[in-house]
Amino acid sequence: MASSPHATTSEKMSRGTCRSDRVRSLVLEAGAKLFSRRGFAGTSFRNLSAESGISVGLIQYHFGTKEKLYEAVREHVFSEYLRAQRPQFDLPQEEFDLFIRGGLAGYFRFLDSHPEWMRLMEWGILEGNGAPWPGEEELMDALAGRGRAREGVFRPLLPASLVRRASARGNGACGISRKHGRILSVEE
């Protein structure tokens, strides 16, 4: 769409921002699809360009390196999960059992409708990327805070041995952090 000669600078910038947001969105969606299908090592800027319809140069302009794009994809996908879980955190503290049940049901609904998320996690494990997902620590802090408010609530829900094994792995991709393992753990 050509700019009108009478368009204000603000209008021109607004259209540019919309285009920029659209480019980022297309690349993030293509990235989620390709990184989940091929992993980090098997995905190239050329693949991303073909999938998104955006030139390699423009992808690099918006994201810089493949590593930065990969982190942006992880952040994008996890932010969708956090948005889906937000209603659970708005429940009153005394509704903790409903919070846990609803949170787990929401988790599995999210996995069902976003299969690329689980595949991204699996590729992260296979490729040795054990870094927590952007926002994962905050989510676990919120969960742990809710659990601390009701002492002992995790005993029937999470056997201590399971929590210890998950936290011994010590990464966000396949377990829980050691910090949160200590918070969630209860003696058997």
Side-chain angles (χ1 to χ4, degrees), residues 66-83:
K66 189 167 85 166
E67 290 80 6
K68 288 180 183 174
L69 171 59
Y70 183 68
E71 283 308 305
V73 166
R74 286 170 40 109
E75 184 176 341
H76 173 71
V77 173
F78 199 74
S79 70
E80 290 180 27
Y81 172 67
L82 291 177
R83 270 194 302 282

Side-chain angles (χ1 to χ4, degrees), residues 9-187:
T9 303
S10 160
E11 290 169 333
K12 289 177 186 175
M13 288 180 67
S14 177
R15 280 196 298 265
T17 301
C18 288
R19 255 181 264 146
S20 179
D21 290 347
R22 180 74 178 136
V23 165
R24 286 183 63 79
S25 178
L26 288 169
V27 173
L28 289 171
E29 292 303 318
K33 186 175 182 179
L34 291 176
F35 286 131
S36 70
R37 192 183 301 152
R38 299 173 173 211
F40 179 82
T43 301
S44 69
F45 276 122
R46 189 170 289 132
N47 302 135
L48 291 160
S49 176
E51 182 70 32
S52 66
I54 305 298
S55 73
V56 170
L58 199 50
I59 293 171
Q60 290 174 327
Y61 172 80
H62 282 280
F63 295 97
T65 65
K66 189 167 85 166
E67 290 80 6
K68 288 180 183 174
L69 171 59
Y70 183 68
E71 283 308 305
V73 166
R74 286 170 40 109
E75 184 176 341
H76 173 71
V77 173
F78 199 74
S79 70
E80 290 180 27
Y81 172 67
L82 291 177
R83 270 194 302 282
Q85 290 289 49
R86 175 77 344 229
Q88 293 308 116
F89 286 93
D90 293 335
L91 289 171
Q93 186 66 40
E94 57 274 3
E95 298 289 338
F96 189 76
D97 293 341
L98 183 60
F99 168 77
I100 293 293
R101 281 194 300 274
L104 289 172
Y107 175 74
F108 287 105
R109 276 193 305 273
F110 186 83
L111 289 179
D112 186 49
S113 62
H114 296 80
E116 74 280 1
W117 193 47
M118 182 59 74
R119 291 191 51 107
L120 281 168
M121 287 192 293
E122 291 166 350
W123 273 111
I125 295 166
L126 291 171
E127 294 179 321
N129 181 357
W133 285 68
E136 183 179 9
E137 285 290 319
E138 294 83 359
L139 178 67
M140 290 304 295
D141 284 341
L143 175 60
R146 287 260 180 155
R148 265 191 246 113
R150 271 199 56 203
E151 192 165 324
V153 74
F154 291 108
R155 178 169 282 140
L157 298 172
L158 298 172
S161 58
L162 177 65
V163 172
R164 278 194 296 275
R165 279 195 310 273
S167 63
R169 292 181 185 146
N171 70 44
C174 64
I176 58 176
S177 70
R178 286 181 173 83
K179 168 186 152 188
H180 292 110
R182 286 190 300 277
I183 293 169
L184 298 176
S185 183
V186 291
E187 295 303 317

Side-chain angles (χ1 to χ4, degrees), residues 1-5 15 19:
M1 175 164 123
S3 292
S4 161
R15 280 196 298 265
R19 255 181 264 146

